[in-house]
Amino acid sequence: MSIIVKMKKQDAKKKKLTIDEIEKSVTSISPQESSPRMDNKGRTPVKFNKRGKRKIKHLKLYLVLAVLTVVLAGLGVFGWNMYSRLASMFGGGSNVLSLFSGQQLKGESSGRINILLLGVGDTGHDGANLSDTIMVISYDVKTKQAAMISVPRDLYVKIDDYGSAKINAAHAYGEYYKYAGGGPALATKTISEVLGTPIHYYARVDFTGLKEIVNAVGGIDVNVTEDLYDPLYPSDDGLGNKALYIKKGQQHMSGDTALRYARSRETTSDFDRARRQQIVLTAIKTKVMSVDTFLNPQKISDIATALGKHLKTDFSVGEIPRGIELFKGVDSAKIKNKVFDNSPEGLLIDDSGAAGYILVPRAGIYNYSKLQAAVKNIFEDNSVQSENASISVQNGTTTSGLANKAATNLTSTGYNVIDISTADTATYSQNAIIDYTGGAKKSTIAALEKLFSAKATRGTGTSASGADIEIIIGSNYPTKS
């Protein structure tokens, strides 16, 4: 109490209070207020005024901000690690800021993007630089459709400055002879010329890369259409063989199994292998683009590591977000698949030469017009191609060369022209179409009627040329077509 009185006297000096007023104010203080209250356990409860409560709120806010800062920092480190792992594979620049540039892809403005995928062996593997997988992945910007077009490694082609060889040698020549841009550049140039279409990007991956990517996404699901048995599949150590057997039906494949499934060809064919490669690639695309993968940092990290070590491309960093945006919307079930082969209805035939067994176009060596037409029209309704109607084109005018012009235009878009000749009379003012199939080739007839602005008539018997359909060019056919 003496301390309180002393304090009151000090206050009195400041406020000039009387002794009576001081004593009155002291006696009004109760014992409970002169010392902290205790609970029944001898603890002093804590009381907070408004200012204290604000301090607690601020402390909570600081803690939340601190945790958020740590999380963001962790994401930043994770993102930088991903970027660092992937940067080595880019050939078009690796500035991390370009990830946010929203850069368009090459070919996007023209409506179609073509990417060349090359599969090569691991370093030290026999013929490691031969591109035994050659596939063009094409994307139609307008329809959002995608196609996979496989070119067989034995297709015989001309390779600029290096003569003629199997097409899989283009990459090897480019690597060995230090071609500007290396093997991918020479392979891109060669394949672009053969298929008659621009190649905007390339991506090259080796055997181990495919295996590690599949493992990174937790394996892939593949519907195996028939039993695959290959007793001659090479063992991993390169010494001898390790028999391969994959049962028909739905299979969940590890990276090792997927690689074997995509590589085996001894008991099937190179064409069957190409089809299996397309199936594997589609399954990988489905798994990589799944929510399960995108929400799993470990999977993303493993994919980035595999790509960084085993894939090389001329995509730039700034083009990656746009590429993902475009291709993630592709329905895997609706991807168009094309394998150029030597089947009875195929565009290639077997041959032999200095390079041993080779494949050449059915239309003639170095004549790739049918292949180019198939690539050009890959996104069109393919019912005309499946009907494969034989066509005769006749010139019914006095203007020379019109039948040849029309035939060239038809061939370049995939029609099967078997005869070019002059009509019995040169007095046709309008184009004419004569159908000798009795209406069996409906899609072809409908397409030709639209193309030549003519209504088809039914022919009797068979045509003189043996063709299913005769087209007679009239004076209304554009001479500058």
Side-chain angles (χ1 to χ4, degrees):
M1 180 68 73
S2 61
I3 296 173
I4 297 174
V5 171
K6 186 177 181 180
M7 292 174 61
K8 291 295 184 178
K9 287 181 177 179
Q10 289 175 346
D11 290 340
K13 290 179 181 179
K14 294 179 182 178
K15 299 182 180 179
K16 298 181 179 180
L17 297 176
T18 65
I19 296 298
D20 291 338
E21 289 174 329
I22 293 173
E23 289 177 349
K24 186 177 179 181
S25 64
V26 170
T27 55
S28 66
I29 301 174
S30 66
Q32 289 84 359
E33 290 174 328
S34 64
S35 61
R37 273 191 277 182
M38 311 290 286
D39 64 11
N40 59 5
K41 292 184 179 181
R43 294 175 303 191
T44 303
V46 178
K47 280 192 172 184
F48 298 106
N49 57 22
K50 292 182 179 180
R51 185 177 179 184
K53 290 179 180 180
R54 285 198 297 272
K55 286 184 177 180
I56 292 298
K57 289 181 179 179
H58 290 163
L59 179 59
K60 289 180 179 179
L61 178 60
Y62 294 150
L63 287 173
V64 171
L65 290 175
V67 172
L68 184 59
T69 301
V70 172
V71 170
L72 291 175
L75 290 174
V77 171
F78 175 76
W80 178 256
N81 285 338
M82 295 303 97
Y83 172 79
S84 299
R85 294 177 192 181
L86 292 172
S88 61
M89 80 182 192
F90 294 113
S94 56
N95 180 358
V96 68
L97 295 178
S98 62
L99 278 169
F100 309 101
S101 65
Q103 190 173 339
Q104 267 202 339
L105 300 187
K106 299 171 188 173
E108 191 171 348
S109 59
S110 61
R112 187 163 171 179
I113 303 163
N114 297 314
I115 305 165
L116 173 63
L117 178 62
L118 299 170
V120 298
D122 294 326
T123 303
H125 181 272
D126 288 341
N129 284 324
L130 294 171
S131 54
D132 285 347
T133 296
I134 303 171
M135 188 188 304
V136 174
I137 301 172
S138 194
Y139 178 80
D140 188 295
V141 177
K142 183 177 180 181
T143 64
K144 296 180 173 55
Q145 287 180 294
M148 294 182 182
I149 306 163
S150 290
V151 179
R153 64 178 190 167
D154 295 317
L155 180 62
Y156 200 61
V157 300
K158 292 180 179 178
I159 302 175
D160 278 2
D161 300 326
Y162 303 102
S164 296
K166 293 182 180 181
I167 198 167
N168 70 337
H171 180 270
Y173 286 166
E175 292 289 289
Y176 184 80
Y177 293 109
K178 309 298 182 186
Y179 185 83
L186 186 56
T188 295
K189 185 176 190 300
T190 303
I191 294 162
S192 177
E193 291 173 350
V194 168
L195 299 184
T197 191
I199 302 293
H200 303 106
Y201 301 96
Y202 78 83
R204 182 188 68 193
V205 66
D206 58 30
F207 295 158
T208 300
L210 175 66
K211 184 163 57 175
E212 290 187 1
I213 292 168
V214 172
N215 285 336
V217 297
I220 57 174
D221 298 309
V222 174
N223 182 26
V224 179
T225 56
E226 57 184 336
D227 291 349
L228 177 63
Y229 176 63
D230 183 355
L232 301 177
Y233 191 90
S235 59
D236 293 337
D237 58 12
L239 304 174
N241 303 312
K242 181 180 179 181
L244 169 66
Y245 176 66
I246 300 178
K247 188 178 180 181
K248 177 182 178 180
Q250 192 73 18
Q251 303 290 343
H252 183 75
M253 296 184 178
S254 65
D256 184 65
T257 303
L259 176 62
R260 293 170 181 271
Y261 184 67
R263 284 191 64 199
S264 175
R265 72 185 185 97
E266 292 297 333
T267 53
T268 52
S269 71
D270 197 38
F271 310 118
D272 293 327
R273 177 171 71 168
R275 294 183 182 93
R276 289 197 299 272
Q277 289 170 351
Q278 292 183 354
I279 291 171
V280 167
L281 191 61
T282 300
I284 292 174
K285 178 262 176 190
T286 299
K287 203 66 180 288
V288 169
M289 295 295 182
S290 68
V291 174
D292 178 59
T293 298
F294 270 91
L295 296 181
N296 189 321
Q298 185 59 54
K299 286 186 177 181
I300 295 174
S301 176
D302 291 343
I303 292 170
T305 299
L307 292 176
K309 291 194 299 185
H310 300 284
L311 186 138
K312 189 74 175 177
T313 180
D314 57 352
F315 269 95
S316 70
V317 175
E319 291 168 323
I320 295 301
R322 181 58 175 164
I324 293 174
E325 179 185 352
L326 293 178
F327 283 92
K328 73 178 180 182
V330 173
D331 185 346
S332 297
K334 295 182 180 179
I335 293 176
K336 292 179 175 287
N337 300 91
K338 179 69 178 178
V339 176
F340 291 122
D341 61 22
N342 61 352
S343 62
E345 65 278 4
L347 302 179
L348 305 175
I349 57 174
D350 301 336
D351 205 336
S352 60
Y357 169 77
I358 59 174
L359 290 163
V360 298
R362 193 177 293 276
I365 191 169
Y366 307 133
N367 184 348
Y368 308 113
S369 58
K370 292 290 183 70
L371 278 71
Q372 293 172 357
V375 172
K376 178 181 178 182
N377 300 311
I378 191 72
F379 295 113
E380 300 297 328
D381 182 1
N382 59 8
S383 56
V384 171
Q385 293 182 3
S386 64
E387 288 180 351
N388 196 33
S390 55
I391 298 173
S392 169
V393 182
Q394 301 176 18
N395 189 354
T397 74
T398 56
T399 304
S400 62
L402 286 188
N404 282 312
K405 279 180 181 278
T408 298
N409 289 339
L410 289 170
T411 301
S412 67
T413 52
Y415 289 92
N416 180 24
V417 177
I418 65 168
D419 177 69
I420 303 173
S421 61
T422 301
D424 293 336
T425 176
T427 58
Y428 283 84
S429 60
Q430 303 291 321
N431 298 324
I433 301 172
I434 306 172
D435 174 21
Y436 288 92
T437 71
K441 310 287 186 179
K442 292 182 180 179
S443 295
T444 304
I445 290 296
L448 292 175
E449 286 179 335
K450 184 177 180 180
L451 189 61
F452 289 93
S453 302
K455 186 68 176 176
T457 59
R458 294 284 181 93
T460 57
T462 58
S463 65
S465 63
D468 294 327
I469 302 168
E470 280 187 353
I471 298 174
I472 302 176
I473 303 301
S475 299
N476 65 327
Y477 186 80
T479 57
K480 292 184 180 181
S481 63

